[in-house]
Amino acid sequence: MLHRPIQVKPISGGLGAEIEGVDLSTLDDTAFAEINQAFLDHQVIFFRDQDITPEQQLNLALRFGDIHYHPYMLGMDDHPEILEIIKEPGETYTFGAAWHTDQMFNPSPAKATMLYAKETPAVGGDTMFSSMYKAYEGLSDAMKAMLKDVKTFNVGDRFKNMGGGSRAERYAGNKSMAGKVRDPGNQITEAHHPLFRTHPETGRTGLYIGSHTQGFEGMRAEEADPIIDYLRRHSIRPEYLCRFRWEPGSMAIWDNRCVQHYAVPDYNERRRMHRITIAGDVPY
Ligand SMILES: O=C(O)CCC(=O)C(=O)O
Ligand SMILES: [Fe+2]
């Protein structure tokens, strides 16, 4: 078959691009190489009107790397690699409704997340993304110098800025997700990471922070907390963001090494997504 190059259309000045001219169910190596380059260049990429099975989503994920399993959440019975994110009308807890980067509490956080929309609200339920490259570049030289060797401390549960409750307690407002919560057992769910992370493929530096971040190594809470608060606010300046409006069949793939995201909890309709995370390496 004659290969037609894919079209990559940036959707904001901050990050993110929609990709056209691709059928994700039948991707050849050339098209995948172009998609992977767009993923590295734009940090989060979007596709529309895709009709793929769980197996096809899994095959696409495996082109990016090994599968990362969520230590706190169970996958689907017949597809343990896929976490089905569901919110029904009347449910109040929204999975992912805090600015974060996936699995930052893990010593080897997820490289990428692939989210495929099955059912979406008529309006609302968008996902927002923030460029951590832009956030780093937007700091003053003095701030960069002051924080250059800082390591963050990150946890997977009982966040102090969310009242310290357990995941199961927080999910009480969403029966669909509460039923998937599992005990991580002896998996490690706390990790120290560099605040300024070097992307292993692009070589660029990003501000690596998110809702899992609880403190700075070697600093007292009263020293670190105001800086963390500032960095959180700074990292989501409008010029660093993009926002994606979902339709059934939409797919997003984001790079957790240089992107934060936020699931906007502004709807009261059924929303159902198929999510796969790709295993990542140790940040440096
Ligand atoms: O449902 C969404 O829009 C994103 C949820 C989330 O944080 C994730 O899938 O990692
Ligand atoms: Fe997430």
Side-chain angles (χ1 to χ4, degrees):
M1 199 177 82
L2 197 67
H3 175 68
R4 293 209 328 276
I6 64 174
Q7 289 105 53
V8 180
K9 299 186 172 168
I11 67 163
S12 89
L15 78 170
E18 278 200 36
I19 297 189
E20 293 173 6
V22 177
D23 177 354
L24 293 176
S25 69
T26 57
L27 212 54
D28 61 26
D29 290 346
T30 318
F32 176 72
E34 288 178 36
I35 287 172
N36 192 47
Q37 193 58 52
F39 165 78
L40 294 173
D41 291 345
H42 299 279
Q43 306 171 246
V44 53
I45 51 176
F46 307 102
F47 305 84
R48 295 205 180 268
D49 303 317
Q50 301 294 319
D51 186 8
I52 58 170
T53 64
E55 285 77 16
Q56 288 167 332
Q57 188 180 354
L58 183 56
N59 286 337
L60 178 59
L62 288 168
R63 285 187 179 256
F64 283 92
D66 294 336
I67 304 305
H68 176 105
Y69 292 85
H70 202 302
Y72 290 99
M73 304 300 294
L74 288 169
M76 294 164 75
D77 287 343
D78 44 353
H79 296 284
E81 306 88 352
I82 300 179
L83 172 61
E84 192 169 44
I85 300 177
I86 308 179
K87 195 172 140 205
E88 301 284 1
E91 292 184 332
T92 51
Y93 183 80
T94 303
F95 183 84
W99 280 102
H100 67 285
T101 165
D102 287 334
Q103 302 287 311
M104 198 182 171
F105 53 85
N106 199 302
S108 302
K111 161 183 163 175
T113 303
M114 179 185 280
L115 197 59
Y116 178 53
K118 302 292 288 182
E119 294 175 68
T120 57
V123 66
D126 296 355
T127 307
M128 298 181 69
F129 299 89
S130 153
S131 167
M132 306 308 280
Y133 294 146
K134 289 259 156 89
Y136 171 75
E137 288 157 12
L139 295 172
S140 67
D141 289 344
M143 193 74 165
K144 285 179 189 154
M146 180 173 89
L147 298 177
K148 77 176 174 25
D149 295 321
V150 165
K151 287 211 158 49
T152 57
F153 175 59
N154 307 281
V155 300
D157 205 358
R158 301 190 176 277
F159 310 114
K160 64 180 181 187
N161 52 341
M162 293 184 195
S166 73
R167 204 169 270 258
E169 283 160 8
R170 280 186 287 122
Y171 284 28
N174 184 332
K175 285 203 171 56
S176 312
M177 297 310 283
K180 300 175 192 290
V181 174
R182 65 158 162 157
D183 187 330
N186 57 11
Q187 296 179 81
I188 299 171
T189 58
E190 295 185 352
H192 294 267
H193 294 305
L195 177 65
F196 298 154
R197 179 174 184 181
T198 305
H199 193 290
E201 293 183 81
T202 66
R204 295 179 68 184
T205 305
L207 173 65
Y208 193 49
I209 199 160
S211 62
H212 303 109
T213 304
Q214 305 295 294
F216 287 164
E217 203 176 275
M219 275 196 207
R220 292 190 291 273
E222 62 264 38
E223 295 172 318
D225 287 354
I227 305 176
I228 293 173
D229 283 348
Y230 167 71
L231 293 174
R232 282 193 212 289
R233 275 181 281 119
H234 167 78
S235 71
I236 54 168
R237 289 171 66 130
E239 54 271 42
Y240 307 155
L241 307 184
C242 73
R243 178 171 184 140
F244 186 62
R245 184 166 179 175
W246 297 94
E247 298 162 40
S250 301
M251 167 83 86
I253 306 174
W254 63 85
D255 189 337
N256 285 302
R257 300 167 295 188
C258 55
V259 172
Q260 282 188 97
H261 58 283
Y262 178 87
V264 183
D266 62 347
Y267 60 99
N268 189 26
E269 281 174 70
R270 180 162 224 246
R271 183 178 185 270
R272 188 165 64 88
M273 318 290 272
H274 281 185
R275 174 189 191 268
I276 299 181
T277 38
I278 316 298
D281 48 19
V282 177
Y284 57 89

